[in-house]
């Protein structure tokens, strides 16, 4: 049993793709799950907006209890070669994927410190460590998440709070529908991954059993980065 | 009884007791008997311990401690004085 009765698990971008699969698995493990997304979800916020995040966390806390698990999964892509990438395309991806994770982490840590227990999992990407032309903004945001992960892991380790990252490879979701077929040839496993493949790893990192796993980078990519 | 229930101003002993208890919960060695003169450095209280202490004091005594107020706070006694001042200001408001 990993879920704690008095707290909840908040999953950003939890209504679709990997986030929805994570929400399902955490629910199966007994967690009260709160999905956060811009539209729909249990609470609404654009994670890039720190004030909206603060309001959403206050609402989550009020309705579901303190946040003891946070899965920073909200993200989006605006692909293009760096030579043609606008500042707006760069900024919007970094603000959502990286700053958004920080804003949510910032809010969740208050509850986790009070509980002296917490699990944060950041959903990074294989492109954080393996370049993919056309994704300078996305890759930079996902690599930034790894540095955020390691730093928070070190800062909070003494307080029973862990912070880890998963690095999904080519996962079959709406977000990768346009590119998955072209990338599958590079995957040693010979197939794309499913959201459930990632969700299982996230659920482990959120469990009591993973208490001594901290600052880890777990590739879930069928061997793509190996 | 909590201060809200009594409706009276906090005392130095109340705040000192809460600081000692909180630091003890944070497993700070010697917390239970920490004197007003004890500095964070003496007690080996680091920045994260201090954040946790501030959070507890804010919740317990219904005061808000801003970062700039926290900077000069280097000892248990400084923290007690700050909480008593904020409590008095709140009472006077």
């Amino acid at each position: 049993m990993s879920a704690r009765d008095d707290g909840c698990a908040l999953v950003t971008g939890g209504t679709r793709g990997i986030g929805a699969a994570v929400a399902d698995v955490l629910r199966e493990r007994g967690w009260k799950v709160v999905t956060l997304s811009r539209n729909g979800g249990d609470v609404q916020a654009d994670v890039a907006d720190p004030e909206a995040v603060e309001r959403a966390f206050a609402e989550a806390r009020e309705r579901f209890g303190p946040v003891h698990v946070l899965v920073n999964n909200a993200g989006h892509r605006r692909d293009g070669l760096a030579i043609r990438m606008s500042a707006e395309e760069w900024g919007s991806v970094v603000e959502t994927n990286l700053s958004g994770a920080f804003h949510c982490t910032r809010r969740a840590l208050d509850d986790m410190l009070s509980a002296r227990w917490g699990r944060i999992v950041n959903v990074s990407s294989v492109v954080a460590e393996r370049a993919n032309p056309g994704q300078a903004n996305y890759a930079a945001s996902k690599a930034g998440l790894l540095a955020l992960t390691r730093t928070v892991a070190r800062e909070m380790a003494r307080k029973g709070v862990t912070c880890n990252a998963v690095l999904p490879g080519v996962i079959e979701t709406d977000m990768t529908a346009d590119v998955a077929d072209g990338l599958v040839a590079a995957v040693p496993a010979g197939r794309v991954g499913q959201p459930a493949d990632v969700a299982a790893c996230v659920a482990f990192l959120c469990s009591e059993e993973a208490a001594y796993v901290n600052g880890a980078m777990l590739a879930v990519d069928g061997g793509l980065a190996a | 009884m909590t201060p809200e229930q009594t409706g009276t101003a906090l005392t130095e002993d109340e705040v000192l007791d809460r600081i000692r208890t909180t630091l003890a919960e944070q497993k700070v060695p010697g917390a239970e008997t920490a004197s007003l003169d004890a500095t964070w450095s003496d007690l080996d209280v680091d920045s994260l311990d201090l954040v946790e202490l501030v959070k507890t004091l804010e919740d317990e005594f219904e005061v808000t401690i801003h970062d700039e107020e926290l900077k000069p706070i280097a000892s248990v006694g400084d923290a007690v004085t700050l909480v008593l001042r904020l409590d008095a200001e709140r009472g006077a408001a």
Side-chain angles (χ1 to χ4, degrees):
Chain A
M1 179 65 180
S2 60
R4 295 161 64 91
D5 293 339
D6 56 342
C8 68
L10 190 145
V11 183
T12 72
T15 56
R16 293 193 303 167
I18 292 172
V22 168
D24 285 345
V25 176
L26 291 179
R27 253 183 235 109
E28 284 167 21
R29 305 277 170 104
W31 281 101
K32 273 184 285 182
V33 172
V34 185
T35 54
L36 179 152
S37 75
R38 272 182 298 186
N39 308 296
D42 298 308
V43 293
Q44 285 84 43
D46 175 351
V47 293
D49 176 350
E51 287 170 9
V53 167
E54 188 173 354
R55 284 193 298 273
F57 270 70
E59 185 186 343
R61 201 172 286 124
E62 179 77 24
R63 289 172 55 197
F64 304 95
V67 176
H68 290 165
V69 166
L70 169 66
V71 181
N72 282 312
N73 166 76
H76 75 129
R77 281 171 46 203
R78 297 275 298 277
D79 293 356
L81 294 175
I83 193 171
R84 300 278 297 170
M85 187 175 285
S86 68
E88 196 275 325
E89 286 167 328
W90 170 271
S92 101
V93 169
V94 172
E95 280 300 302
T96 297
N97 298 8
L98 178 56
S99 303
F102 168 73
H103 301 320
C104 293
T105 299
R106 165 76 186 77
R107 290 296 142 205
L109 285 176
D110 278 342
D111 288 349
M112 294 176 182
L113 185 59
S114 297
R116 291 202 180 83
W117 195 96
R119 298 282 184 268
I120 299 172
V121 180
N122 292 323
V123 179
S124 178
S125 164
V126 66
V127 303
E129 298 192 323
R130 185 182 190 274
N132 194 27
Q135 294 198 309
N137 48 3
Y138 187 79
S141 70
K142 294 297 189 178
L145 269 183
L146 300 185
L148 175 66
T149 302
R150 293 188 179 103
T151 307
V152 172
R154 283 239 170 194
E155 286 184 357
M156 301 303 296
R158 282 191 302 119
K159 302 295 181 184
V161 176
T162 68
C163 184
N164 294 289
V166 292
L167 289 74
V170 187
I171 306 296
E172 191 173 355
T173 65
D174 293 348
M175 203 163 103
T176 61
D178 57 331
V179 293
D181 287 349
L183 293 171
V184 72
V187 181
R191 66 169 179 89
V192 297
Q194 296 301 315
D197 292 322
V198 181
C201 297
V202 173
F204 167 68
L205 293 171
C206 294
S207 70
E208 195 62 55
E209 290 82 354
Y212 206 58
V213 183
N214 200 9
M217 316 281 128
L218 181 54
V220 192
D221 62 3
L224 184 57
Chain B
M1 295 233 291
T2 63
E4 311 85 88
Q5 287 170 310
T6 62
T8 56
L10 291 171
T11 66
E12 182 177 287
D13 282 350
E14 274 178 302
V15 181
L16 177 60
D17 274 357
R18 195 65 186 96
I19 289 174
R20 284 172 169 166
T21 315
T22 304
L23 293 176
E25 285 166 1
Q26 292 172 221
K27 305 203 176 359
V28 171
E32 292 91 341
T33 55
S35 69
L36 291 169
D37 294 337
T39 65
W40 305 141
S41 170
D42 296 337
L43 294 167
D44 220 8
V45 167
D46 69 10
S47 55
L48 182 58
D49 292 326
L50 203 51
V51 168
E52 194 173 356
L53 174 65
V54 164
K55 206 161 126 38
T56 305
L57 294 176
E58 287 182 329
D59 293 346
E60 177 87 12
F61 299 123
E62 296 184 337
V63 294
T64 302
I65 301 173
H66 298 288
D67 283 352
E68 60 272 22
E69 291 168 320
L70 195 58
K71 277 181 191 146
I73 302 301
S75 69
V76 172
D78 289 346
V80 171
T81 305
L82 174 63
V83 172
L84 291 177
R85 178 171 68 75
L86 293 171
D87 180 58
E89 285 172 6
R90 191 190 50 172

